[in-house]
Amino acid sequence: MNKLIHFPYNYHETIANAYDLELVQKGGNILIVRDPFDAAFEQLCDQLEEHGNPSGLTFEEHLFTKKNIMTQQLGITKISEIRELIESLDFVWFTRYITWPKISAMDLFPKEQTVSHERFTMETTNEKLSVFTGVPNQNVNINIRIQSNLLDTSLRADFGSWNSLDYDLINHMKLALDK
């Protein structure tokens, strides 16, 4: 059985059920992720809606209480370990991948700095998983609560710096897919 490495707020439970995949914390042969900022943002919104804010932290302070969630779970501490992981996997993909277009300060417009890469969507995830697993396309449809380009760009940049090892993982996945 194929094993999908499970991270919070990456739609893994839904994907695993649809494509008969086992969820594991590490040691899987499939890695599918979304942008870490989007996942952390959505997770924090759910936590605040469910439990309120008893600690009195600002939204931004909450967002920066955890660091490199994916690479920590996988036990990765160095970039060389990221390369080894990616080489060991049978299937790597993104349900969503955010790009920063080449822009100058003169071109900055609110809410237009980042865009979702058209190659990485739930539709393409379904197509690729169907071919890989041999399970007919299940057309998993995820209710996306936020549009990434509507989130604060400077906060996204700070989050990327704070979680640099997770973003190294993302970048190495993208490099492997572009080969």
Side-chain angles (χ1 to χ4, degrees):
M1 174 180 254
N2 288 307
K3 297 177 181 181
L4 173 61
I5 300 170
H6 176 266
F7 299 114
Y9 285 82
N10 276 267
Y11 321 123
H12 290 150
E13 295 88 354
T14 305
I15 293 169
N17 287 335
Y19 289 96
D20 193 30
L21 305 172
E22 180 183 341
L23 290 175
V24 296
Q25 295 298 307
K26 54 170 98 170
N29 64 321
I30 299 174
L31 181 61
I32 302 171
V33 299
R34 69 191 277 206
D35 185 88
F37 180 72
D38 294 354
F41 188 93
E42 189 172 311
Q43 183 175 15
L44 179 54
C45 287
D46 283 353
Q47 288 171 351
L48 292 173
E49 285 174 8
E50 188 174 326
H51 304 292
N53 187 7
S55 64
L57 297 174
T58 66
F59 188 87
E60 290 81 3
E61 289 170 330
H62 275 289
L63 198 57
F64 290 93
T65 57
K66 296 178 184 170
K67 187 174 185 177
N68 294 316
I69 292 172
M70 293 188 292
T71 49
Q72 277 189 6
Q73 176 182 314
L74 296 168
I76 291 173
T77 59
K78 300 182 278 192
I79 291 177
S80 61
E81 295 170 335
I82 291 173
R83 290 186 200 112
E84 291 169 12
L85 169 70
I86 296 201
E87 289 171 4
S88 74
L89 297 168
D90 298 324
F91 185 91
V92 174
W93 200 252
F94 299 103
T95 56
R96 189 169 198 148
Y97 182 84
I98 305 305
T99 59
W100 295 73
K102 291 183 180 181
I103 55 176
S104 70
M106 301 301 289
D107 298 326
L108 288 176
F109 296 101
K111 314 224 182 309
E112 293 180 14
Q113 289 92 333
T114 60
V115 293
S116 294
H117 195 293
E118 68 272 358
R119 180 175 164 202
F120 303 108
T121 64
M122 274 310 299
E123 291 79 19
T124 60
T125 302
N126 282 310
E127 292 166 9
K128 297 285 185 178
L129 267 177
S130 178
V131 170
F132 177 75
T133 62
V135 174
N137 188 328
Q138 298 298 300
N139 292 316
V140 172
N141 188 10
I142 301 300
N143 180 20
I144 297 175
R145 294 178 48 192
I146 55 169
Q147 294 298 324
S148 292
N149 65 314
L150 298 180
L151 299 176
D152 183 284
T153 306
S154 60
L155 184 59
R156 178 183 295 280
D158 289 344
F159 186 86
S161 268
W162 178 249
N163 292 278
S164 61
L165 201 54
D166 275 1
Y167 279 93
D168 285 337
L169 173 63
I170 296 292
N171 291 333
H172 279 81
M173 289 173 64
K174 178 72 168 59
L175 287 171
L177 289 167
D178 286 346
K179 286 184 181 179

